[in-house]
Amino acid sequence: MSKKITIIGDGAMATVSALLLENKGYSVTIWGAFADYTAEMIQTRENSRYLPGYKLPDAIKLTSESDRAFRDVDFVINAVPTQYVRTVWSRLADALPAGLPIASLSKGIETDTLLRPTQIITDVLSPLGKQERSLACISGPSVADELAKCLPATVCAASDDADFAKELQETFNTHWFRVYTNSDLLGVELAGATKNVIALAAGMLDGLQAGINAKSALLSRGLAEITRLGLAMGASQETFFGISGVGDLATTCFSPTGRNRTCGEQLGRGRKLDDVLDAIPGIVEGVPTTKSVLQLSEKFKIEMPITEALNMVLFQGLDPLEGISKLMSRGLKAEQIR
Ligand code: 13P
């Protein structure tokens, strides 16, 4: 029996997910928050802002009406930038049927609350008595423009509910998109969020032409610090060393078109953050998430020098070159020499 799936969000990942699932014969609806833009996509059958050049087949339904989003749906995909998850799900909550499972594609940590995307959804639904449902996240090295070309890629579907993770695996898996399952929802979601912070710093090194040695050092020390945080929060080390950890870290730090790396590169070239963000289509998740990760490092008393230096560059006017010098001249500790 063909499944019905609704995707919440109209960004690049929402659109490539819709294309993949429609191509597998599922009935797919995209819900967009902005009625005018949804109407434009219905008219042109293209997501010209976030995934230009790819025709949306007529079978993909588009709506911005909450009560049409969940009709007879088997499960829902959250593909909204992290800092908008709360607003969007507050708007959708009344129309959301009891028990309908939700899988999230968002990669960030909400500022102030320090919640992961699936936790934000629970936080919105709990006061309404609507939190009783399976939640999952799907994360891994998955740059949208490569997925749109059906280039080989892998992700993890992570959930406390093994049956839902398996259902997501079977639903998304295809000959060019391999889906693994993982029970470490916390780790997979946290790794996906924190790698964006390191990718901003990696982009800065590119912009400064700091060299490949510097970038490889950043990736390995970056992985060490996000893993330290993950372990302190209860995630599994294996997750950080797997595709949704080091795998996604590598992709995001090297992707020529990646938003986080590109943002960092422009900052490394001396441009101002606001100007850079204005010029990048979509949301650069790593920017607000840097603030959140820094706060998590303070809360869990974890040393995260790269995150700390990046936060100073992004929000306190530290020159990126000074940031590197700060990191390189830190005191040496025997147990840190690897
Ligand atoms: P960007 O948001 O930096 O484009 O990264 C996408 C991503 O998460 C790749 O897996």
Side-chain angles (χ1 to χ4, degrees):
M1 198 184 72
S2 177
K3 276 192 201 337
K4 286 191 174 178
I5 301 155
T6 289
I7 300 170
I8 303 299
D10 57 14
M13 272 309 284
T15 310
V16 288
S17 302
L19 291 172
L20 183 155
L21 294 169
E22 191 278 334
N23 195 251
K24 282 195 72 182
Y26 299 119
S27 169
V28 180
T29 299
I30 294 178
W31 179 91
F34 304 100
D36 290 357
Y37 188 56
T38 305
E40 185 186 314
M41 284 197 286
I42 292 170
Q43 196 71 39
T44 60
R45 302 307 305 178
E46 189 188 356
N47 186 345
S48 58
R49 273 189 211 162
Y50 304 117
L51 199 70
Y54 293 89
K55 187 177 176 337
L56 299 174
D58 291 341
I60 296 181
K61 298 179 205 65
L62 291 132
T63 184
S64 54
E65 288 171 32
S66 311
D67 51 356
R68 293 188 58 193
F70 304 119
R71 225 170 267 169
D72 304 324
V73 162
D74 290 279
F75 65 81
V76 183
I77 307 287
N78 165 65
V80 176
T82 307
Q83 310 305 328
Y84 299 112
V85 168
R86 183 174 295 279
T87 321
V88 164
W89 284 95
S90 301
R91 188 168 147 192
L92 293 171
D94 281 345
L96 184 69
L100 188 64
I102 302 172
S104 174
L105 303 179
S106 313
K107 292 174 175 173
I109 306 282
E110 191 177 43
T111 50
D112 302 326
T113 65
L114 310 185
L115 296 178
R116 297 177 277 114
T118 57
Q119 291 178 307
I120 306 170
I121 294 172
T122 303
D123 204 37
V124 171
L125 299 179
S126 283
L128 307 170
K130 288 193 158 203
Q131 79 278 26
E132 285 300 316
R133 66 188 69 244
S134 296
L135 291 168
C137 84
I138 299 175
S139 186
S142 46
V143 169
D145 56 351
E146 292 187 13
L147 300 186
K149 294 179 194 140
C150 303
L151 295 176
T154 56
V155 289
C156 273
S159 179
D160 297 335
D161 175 351
D163 291 339
F164 186 36
K166 185 91 192 121
E167 182 180 4
L168 291 168
Q169 178 183 47
E170 282 163 5
T171 308
F172 276 87
N173 199 78
T174 154
H175 63 283
W176 58 269
F177 193 67
R178 187 169 174 79
V179 183
Y180 294 83
T181 59
N182 189 323
S183 55
D184 183 15
L185 173 61
L186 160 71
V188 172
E189 227 175 359
L190 195 60
T194 51
K195 59 87 188 170
N196 284 335
V197 175
I198 307 303
L200 279 166
M204 265 175 219
L205 294 182
D206 289 342
L208 289 163
Q209 299 189 303
I212 300 297
N213 293 336
K215 198 158 165 183
S216 299
L218 179 88
L219 256 78
S220 42
R221 297 315 298 153
L223 179 64
E225 79 176 47
I226 64 178
T227 306
R228 269 201 303 272
L229 178 68
L231 293 181
M233 291 177 69
S236 148
Q237 175 151 323
E238 278 180 3
T239 298
F240 281 84
F241 291 176
I243 50 172
S244 45
V246 67
D248 204 1
L249 176 71
T251 275
T252 317
C253 290
F254 285 104
S255 161
T257 55
R259 291 162 292 196
N260 290 284
R261 196 209 60 80
T262 304
C263 174
E265 182 174 27
Q266 295 299 320
L267 296 173
R269 289 186 184 162
R271 295 187 60 202
K272 295 269 163 283
L273 180 60
D274 287 346
D275 298 340
V276 173
L277 293 179
D278 281 348
I280 294 178
I283 299 293
V284 182
E285 289 263 34
V287 172
T289 293
T290 300
K291 279 188 196 158
S292 310
V293 173
L294 185 69
Q295 285 180 42
L296 284 173
S297 76
E298 287 159 5
K299 182 170 168 189
F300 288 88
K301 301 194 178 2
I302 299 301
E303 219 183 333
M304 299 190 76
I306 299 170
T307 305
E308 210 177 295
L310 179 68
N311 187 71
M312 292 174 83
V313 171
L314 292 177
F315 306 116
Q316 293 166 16
L318 182 72
D319 184 88
L321 261 183
E322 289 285 326
I324 297 178
S325 149
K326 207 169 140 49
L327 286 169
M328 296 303 285
S329 56
R330 294 169 68 239
L332 294 171
K333 289 186 201 158
E335 73 272 18
Q336 284 188 344
I337 300 168
R338 293 194 185 126

